[in-house]
Amino acid sequence: MGDLLAAPAESAGGLTVHGARAVDGSTPASTRQALVDADVPGLLAAQDPPLWDPRAAAGRGDGGADLLPRLAELAAELADLDHVVLLGMDGTTLAAQAVARTTGHPLTVLDTTDPGRIRAALDDRLARTVVVLTGAAEATPEVDDLRRAYRQAFLDAGLSEAEAGRHVVVVTEPGSPLAAAAAEWEAITVPADPPVSGGSSALSAYGLVPCALAGVPVADLLDQADTFAASLSRPQDNPALTLGAALAAAATTGRDTVALVADGTGVEGLGDWVEHLLAGATGKDGQGILPVAVGSPDEPGLTGPGVLTVSYGGALAAPAVPTGGTTSDVAVNGPLGAHFLAWEYAAAVAATVLGVDPADRPDAAESARHTEAALADPTPTPSSSTDAIQVYAPTGTPDDLSDALRHLLAGLGDHGYLAVTAFLDPHAEAAAARLRPLLAALTRRPVTFGWGPRYLQSTGQYHKGGPQAGSFLQITGTVTVDLPVPGKPYTFGERQAAQAAGDRRALAGRGRPLLHLHLTERSAGLTRLIDAVGSLRA
C-alpha cells in the first residue's frame, strides 16, 4: 500500500483526495486521462443526463437556497415536535443519518420491519413526534406499513385525524400518488423535484427536510457543496474526477472491492451511504465495485487481494492514519456537503468507465416482487435444529451447523465474497454485526454485512446484478411479540419473514449458494452462532 503522505493530493472547495492519482498511475493506462480526453468533465458540466443529474448539486432546484426559507418556516411551525422519525430504506435515509451523526443532532431512523424495533420506536414521545416520509411516486409497502403503525398510534393516543396529520411530513413531487395520499392523511406536504435514482438526493428536499427538522444547520451543508461544485467541470483540480478514475482504474485491474473506513476525524456514518451509492451505481450487467463498510480501523477486511482501501473524514492538512494503523490507498477528507457531491460524481464516473448506467437499479426490486407471494407461503422445514438455531441447508449439503458453515465458506474460493444479511432488530440484536469481522478474519475474503430489509436497496442491487461470485448467509429470528399492520391482513413479523423469503427466492433463481439460519431464541441463538463461527478457526 502506498505512502499517502508522499502521494500526490488533489484539492478543491475544501475537499482533498490523497493517493488517487497514484492508484490511477499504477495501471497500464491512465483512466483519468482517458476521461479528460473524452471530455467527461465537460459533459457533466453540460448536464449530460446519462452521467449526472444536476439537481444533485447544491443550489439547484429544490436542493438549493430556494428551499431554505420553507425549511425554516416548517421547523418553526413544528418546533414543539422535537422527536424526528425518518421512515425509509433508501440512500436518502442513509444520507440523513450520516448528517445527523456527524453534526450530533438526534434523528430516529426507522429502516426495518422488525416488530421489536418498531414497538420500541413507538415510545412515550408520541406527543412530540413528527414522522417524515419521502418518495417520488408512492410509499414503498414497507414505508406505508410503518406510516400506518404511527398513524394508528397517534389516534390511539387520543389525537384527531387532523391532529395526527400535523405529525406527518411527506416530501414528494406535486401530483404524485404519494402527494394525493398525503392530502388524504391531512399530512404536511413539502413539494420536491423528482428524486435522482440511487443516493444522489442527499442534498435535495428528500434529504434536507428531516435534517432541518432535527435541528441541523442545513444551509452549512449547501454552502459546503456550493463551494466544492465549481470544481466538477474542470479537467484539472477536480478531486471528484480523480476519485472516480481511481475507483474505476482499480476495479478494471483486479481491485474491485472497496473497503470504506472512517479515519476518526469527524465524519460519521458516511460509509453506509457510500456503500449504498457504489453498489447501486455500478453493480449491474455482471459488472460492479463491491463496497464493504468496515466498522473500525482495527477490523479485518481492510486489506487483502483485490481490495482498495479508502478512508474518509473531515478536512485535514494531511491524511489521518486510522487508529488501527492501516494506511489507506486513498483518503478523502473534507466537509460533509462536499463529500456528498464528490462521491456522487465519483460513482457516476466509475459506472461510466465500467459501461453501466449509474442511475439504473434494474435488480433492486427483484426480491420485493417475490415478497407478496412469500407472505402466503409457509416456512420450509429445517434440515436440522440445535441450540436455538434451525439450519436450512441446501439439499445435498451438510446440515449440522458447524459443517454447514464450513461448506458455505469453502465455496468462496479465491474470487468469491460472502454477504451476511440479518433480518433482525438492529438495536436489540446489534451483536449480529460482529459476524462480519469474524468471518472476514476466517475467510480472508471480502465479507459484507447488511440489515434486512434495508440492504435490499443498496448491496442487494450488487448481489443480483453484479458479478455472480457471492455466497450468502441469511439470518432470521422468531418473533415472540408481533405487531399488526393496521388495515393489512398481515403483521410486521410476517412482512419481515416474507422479505427474507423473497430475497432467498431471488438468489436461488440465480443459483447462488445460500445458508439460511433461523434463530428460534434470538439472544441465545446469536450467542451460539457467534461461538460456532469462532470455533471454525480452531
Side-chain angles (χ1 to χ4, degrees), residues 7-30:
E10 194 158 341
S11 300
L15 184 132
T16 301
V17 175
H18 297 265
R21 288 264 191 175
V23 172
D24 183 47
S26 68
T27 61
S30 170

PDB file of all heavy atoms in Angstrom, residues 7-30:
ATOM      1  N   ALA A   7       2.228  10.636  -1.624  1.00  0.00           N
ATOM      2  CA  ALA A   7       1.467  10.558  -2.873  1.00  0.00           C
ATOM      3  C   ALA A   7       0.890  11.923  -3.221  1.00  0.00           C
ATOM      4  O   ALA A   7       0.579  12.724  -2.340  1.00  0.00           O
ATOM      5  CB  ALA A   7       0.343   9.540  -2.737  1.00  0.00           C
ATOM      6  N   PRO A   8       0.722  12.218  -4.508  1.00  0.00           N
ATOM      7  CA  PRO A   8       0.118  13.497  -4.910  1.00  0.00           C
ATOM      8  C   PRO A   8      -1.306  13.619  -4.373  1.00  0.00           C
ATOM      9  O   PRO A   8      -2.046  12.637  -4.309  1.00  0.00           O
ATOM     10  CB  PRO A   8       0.126  13.430  -6.440  1.00  0.00           C
ATOM     11  CG  PRO A   8       1.118  12.370  -6.788  1.00  0.00           C
ATOM     12  CD  PRO A   8       1.104  11.385  -5.661  1.00  0.00           C
ATOM     13  N   ALA A   9      -1.664  14.814  -3.972  1.00  0.00           N
ATOM     14  CA  ALA A   9      -3.013  15.094  -3.492  1.00  0.00           C
ATOM     15  C   ALA A   9      -3.675  16.090  -4.423  1.00  0.00           C
ATOM     16  O   ALA A   9      -3.016  16.871  -5.104  1.00  0.00           O
ATOM     17  CB  ALA A   9      -2.968  15.636  -2.068  1.00  0.00           C
ATOM     18  N   GLU A  10      -5.002  16.056  -4.453  1.00  0.00           N
ATOM     19  CA  GLU A  10      -5.755  16.990  -5.284  1.00  0.00           C
ATOM     20  C   GLU A  10      -6.834  17.613  -4.426  1.00  0.00           C
ATOM     21  O   GLU A  10      -7.594  16.907  -3.760  1.00  0.00           O
ATOM     22  CB  GLU A  10      -6.359  16.263  -6.485  1.00  0.00           C
ATOM     23  CG  GLU A  10      -6.864  17.192  -7.561  1.00  0.00           C
ATOM     24  CD  GLU A  10      -6.965  16.495  -8.918  1.00  0.00           C
ATOM     25  OE1 GLU A  10      -6.325  15.455  -9.103  1.00  0.00           O
ATOM     26  OE2 GLU A  10      -7.694  17.012  -9.778  1.00  0.00           O
ATOM     27  N   SER A  11      -6.914  18.936  -4.429  1.00  0.00           N
ATOM     28  CA  SER A  11      -7.823  19.651  -3.545  1.00  0.00           C
ATOM     29  C   SER A  11      -8.649  20.663  -4.322  1.00  0.00           C
ATOM     30  O   SER A  11      -8.189  21.246  -5.309  1.00  0.00           O
ATOM     31  CB  SER A  11      -7.052  20.386  -2.443  1.00  0.00           C
ATOM     32  OG  SER A  11      -6.301  19.492  -1.661  1.00  0.00           O
ATOM     33  N   ALA A  12      -9.855  20.890  -3.835  1.00  0.00           N
ATOM     34  CA  ALA A  12     -10.727  21.943  -4.366  1.00  0.00           C
ATOM     35  C   ALA A  12     -11.895  22.114  -3.417  1.00  0.00           C
ATOM     36  O   ALA A  12     -12.426  21.123  -2.896  1.00  0.00           O
ATOM     37  CB  ALA A  12     -11.230  21.600  -5.766  1.00  0.00           C
ATOM     38  N   GLY A  13     -12.301  23.352  -3.201  1.00  0.00           N
ATOM     39  CA  GLY A  13     -13.508  23.626  -2.435  1.00  0.00           C
ATOM     40  C   GLY A  13     -13.547  23.015  -1.061  1.00  0.00           C
ATOM     41  O   GLY A  13     -14.623  22.653  -0.580  1.00  0.00           O
ATOM     42  N   GLY A  14     -12.388  22.868  -0.423  1.00  0.00           N
ATOM     43  CA  GLY A  14     -12.342  22.341   0.930  1.00  0.00           C
ATOM     44  C   GLY A  14     -12.181  20.844   1.021  1.00  0.00           C
ATOM     45  O   GLY A  14     -12.007  20.305   2.124  1.00  0.00           O
ATOM     46  N   LEU A  15     -12.247  20.122  -0.091  1.00  0.00           N
ATOM     47  CA  LEU A  15     -12.110  18.662  -0.070  1.00  0.00           C
ATOM     48  C   LEU A  15     -10.811  18.249  -0.742  1.00  0.00           C
ATOM     49  O   LEU A  15     -10.453  18.770  -1.806  1.00  0.00           O
ATOM     50  CB  LEU A  15     -13.302  18.000  -0.759  1.00  0.00           C
ATOM     51  CG  LEU A  15     -13.312  16.474  -0.713  1.00  0.00           C
ATOM     52  CD1 LEU A  15     -14.690  15.944  -0.280  1.00  0.00           C
ATOM     53  CD2 LEU A  15     -12.951  15.869  -2.063  1.00  0.00           C
ATOM     54  N   THR A  16     -10.105  17.300  -0.133  1.00  0.00           N
ATOM     55  CA  THR A  16      -8.840  16.808  -0.653  1.00  0.00           C
ATOM     56  C   THR A  16      -8.897  15.295  -0.823  1.00  0.00           C
ATOM     57  O   THR A  16      -9.385  14.584   0.071  1.00  0.00           O
ATOM     58  CB  THR A  16      -7.674  17.176   0.288  1.00  0.00           C
ATOM     59  OG1 THR A  16      -7.616  18.593   0.430  1.00  0.00           O
ATOM     60  CG2 THR A  16      -6.349  16.672  -0.259  1.00  0.00           C
ATOM     61  N   VAL A  17      -8.390  14.818  -1.938  1.00  0.00           N
ATOM     62  CA  VAL A  17      -8.264  13.385  -2.197  1.00  0.00           C
ATOM     63  C   VAL A  17      -6.777  13.061  -2.272  1.00  0.00           C
ATOM     64  O   VAL A  17      -6.062  13.582  -3.125  1.00  0.00           O
ATOM     65  CB  VAL A  17      -8.977  12.978  -3.501  1.00  0.00           C
ATOM     66  CG1 VAL A  17      -8.720  11.506  -3.810  1.00  0.00           C
ATOM     67  CG2 VAL A  17     -10.475  13.238  -3.386  1.00  0.00           C
ATOM     68  N   HIS A  18      -6.314  12.216  -1.369  1.00  0.00           N
ATOM     69  CA  HIS A  18      -4.929  11.775  -1.333  1.00  0.00           C
ATOM     70  C   HIS A  18      -4.825  10.375  -1.932  1.00  0.00           C
ATOM     71  O   HIS A  18      -5.664   9.514  -1.672  1.00  0.00           O
ATOM     72  CB  HIS A  18      -4.408  11.712   0.106  1.00  0.00           C
ATOM     73  CG  HIS A  18      -4.381  13.019   0.821  1.00  0.00           C
ATOM     74  ND1 HIS A  18      -3.269  13.821   0.887  1.00  0.00           N
ATOM     75  CD2 HIS A  18      -5.351  13.663   1.527  1.00  0.00           C
ATOM     76  CE1 HIS A  18      -3.539  14.899   1.602  1.00  0.00           C
ATOM     77  NE2 HIS A  18      -4.797  14.832   1.996  1.00  0.00           N
ATOM     78  N   GLY A  19      -3.799  10.129  -2.716  1.00  0.00           N
ATOM     79  CA  GLY A  19      -3.487   8.774  -3.164  1.00  0.00           C
ATOM     80  C   GLY A  19      -4.174   8.316  -4.428  1.00  0.00           C
ATOM     81  O   GLY A  19      -3.765   7.323  -5.027  1.00  0.00           O
ATOM     82  N   ALA A  20      -5.222   8.998  -4.861  1.00  0.00           N
ATOM     83  CA  ALA A  20      -5.984   8.520  -6.016  1.00  0.00           C
ATOM     84  C   ALA A  20      -5.168   8.602  -7.302  1.00  0.00           C
ATOM     85  O   ALA A  20      -5.259   7.723  -8.162  1.00  0.00           O
ATOM     86  CB  ALA A  20      -7.283   9.311  -6.159  1.00  0.00           C
ATOM     87  N   ARG A  21      -4.370   9.652  -7.451  1.00  0.00           N
ATOM     88  CA  ARG A  21      -3.521   9.767  -8.652  1.00  0.00           C
ATOM     89  C   ARG A  21      -2.546   8.604  -8.723  1.00  0.00           C
ATOM     90  O   ARG A  21      -2.264   8.079  -9.806  1.00  0.00           O
ATOM     91  CB  ARG A  21      -2.769  11.092  -8.626  1.00  0.00           C
ATOM     92  CG  ARG A  21      -3.631  12.319  -8.891  1.00  0.00           C
ATOM     93  CD  ARG A  21      -3.576  12.728 -10.346  1.00  0.00           C
ATOM     94  NE  ARG A  21      -4.169  14.037 -10.569  1.00  0.00           N
ATOM     95  CZ  ARG A  21      -4.147  14.649 -11.745  1.00  0.00           C
ATOM     96  NH1 ARG A  21      -3.563  14.090 -12.779  1.00  0.00           N
ATOM     97  NH2 ARG A  21      -4.726  15.828 -11.884  1.00  0.00           N
ATOM     98  N   ALA A  22      -2.013   8.191  -7.570  1.00  0.00           N
ATOM     99  CA  ALA A  22      -1.067   7.073  -7.554  1.00  0.00           C
ATOM    100  C   ALA A  22      -1.748   5.771  -7.960  1.00  0.00           C
ATOM    101  O   ALA A  22      -1.167   4.944  -8.662  1.00  0.00           O
ATOM    102  CB  ALA A  22      -0.442   6.949  -6.172  1.00  0.00           C
ATOM    103  N   VAL A  23      -3.006   5.581  -7.509  1.00  0.00           N
ATOM    104  CA  VAL A  23      -3.751   4.371  -7.901  1.00  0.00           C
ATOM    105  C   VAL A  23      -3.955   4.363  -9.411  1.00  0.00           C
ATOM    106  O   VAL A  23      -3.724   3.358 -10.089  1.00  0.00           O
ATOM    107  CB  VAL A  23      -5.106   4.311  -7.164  1.00  0.00           C
ATOM    108  CG1 VAL A  23      -5.969   3.171  -7.710  1.00  0.00           C
ATOM    109  CG2 VAL A  23      -4.898   4.137  -5.664  1.00  0.00           C
ATOM    110  N   ASP A  24      -4.370   5.497  -9.951  1.00  0.00           N
ATOM    111  CA  ASP A  24      -4.578   5.594 -11.399  1.00  0.00           C
ATOM    112  C   ASP A  24      -3.263   5.408 -12.153  1.00  0.00           C
ATOM    113  O   ASP A  24      -3.212   4.737 -13.191  1.00  0.00           O
ATOM    114  CB  ASP A  24      -5.192   6.954 -11.736  1.00  0.00           C
ATOM    115  CG  ASP A  24      -5.507   7.113 -13.212  1.00  0.00           C
ATOM    116  OD1 ASP A  24      -6.099   6.188 -13.788  1.00  0.00           O
ATOM    117  OD2 ASP A  24      -5.152   8.161 -13.774  1.00  0.00           O
ATOM    118  N   GLY A  25      -2.179   5.959 -11.602  1.00  0.00           N
ATOM    119  CA  GLY A  25      -0.887   5.859 -12.262  1.00  0.00           C
ATOM    120  C   GLY A  25      -0.267   4.485 -12.214  1.00  0.00           C
ATOM    121  O   GLY A  25       0.674   4.200 -12.969  1.00  0.00           O
ATOM    122  N   SER A  26      -0.786   3.603 -11.337  1.00  0.00           N
ATOM    123  CA  SER A  26      -0.228   2.251 -11.237  1.00  0.00           C
ATOM    124  C   SER A  26      -0.779   1.307 -12.299  1.00  0.00           C
ATOM    125  O   SER A  26      -0.355   0.161 -12.391  1.00  0.00           O
ATOM    126  CB  SER A  26      -0.522   1.677  -9.846  1.00  0.00           C
ATOM    127  OG  SER A  26      -1.922   1.443  -9.676  1.00  0.00           O
ATOM    128  N   THR A  27      -1.729   1.765 -13.091  1.00  0.00           N
ATOM    129  CA  THR A  27      -2.330   0.937 -14.133  1.00  0.00           C
ATOM    130  C   THR A  27      -1.634   1.187 -15.471  1.00  0.00           C
ATOM    131  O   THR A  27      -0.951   2.204 -15.648  1.00  0.00           O
ATOM    132  CB  THR A  27      -3.835   1.248 -14.248  1.00  0.00           C
ATOM    133  OG1 THR A  27      -4.006   2.621 -14.593  1.00  0.00           O
ATOM    134  CG2 THR A  27      -4.544   0.978 -12.928  1.00  0.00           C
ATOM    135  N   PRO A  28      -1.781   0.266 -16.430  1.00  0.00           N
ATOM    136  CA  PRO A  28      -1.078   0.417 -17.704  1.00  0.00           C
ATOM    137  C   PRO A  28      -1.395   1.721 -18.439  1.00  0.00           C
ATOM    138  O   PRO A  28      -0.537   2.281 -19.119  1.00  0.00           O
ATOM    139  CB  PRO A  28      -1.550  -0.803 -18.510  1.00  0.00           C
ATOM    140  CG  PRO A  28      -1.925  -1.811 -17.477  1.00  0.00           C
ATOM    141  CD  PRO A  28      -2.479  -1.031 -16.326  1.00  0.00           C
ATOM    142  N   ALA A  29      -2.620   2.202 -18.324  1.00  0.00           N
ATOM    143  CA  ALA A  29      -3.006   3.452 -18.980  1.00  0.00           C
ATOM    144  C   ALA A  29      -3.861   4.257 -18.018  1.00  0.00           C
ATOM    145  O   ALA A  29      -4.664   3.699 -17.261  1.00  0.00           O
ATOM    146  CB  ALA A  29      -3.772   3.184 -20.268  1.00  0.00           C
ATOM    147  N   SER A  30      -3.701   5.565 -18.021  1.00  0.00           N
ATOM    148  CA  SER A  30      -4.404   6.418 -17.077  1.00  0.00           C
ATOM    149  C   SER A  30      -5.894   6.506 -17.404  1.00  0.00           C
ATOM    150  O   SER A  30      -6.284   6.996 -18.473  1.00  0.00           O
ATOM    151  CB  SER A  30      -3.800   7.823 -17.082  1.00  0.00           C
ATOM    152  OG  SER A  30      -4.614   8.711 -16.353  1.00  0.00           O
TER     153      SER A  30
END
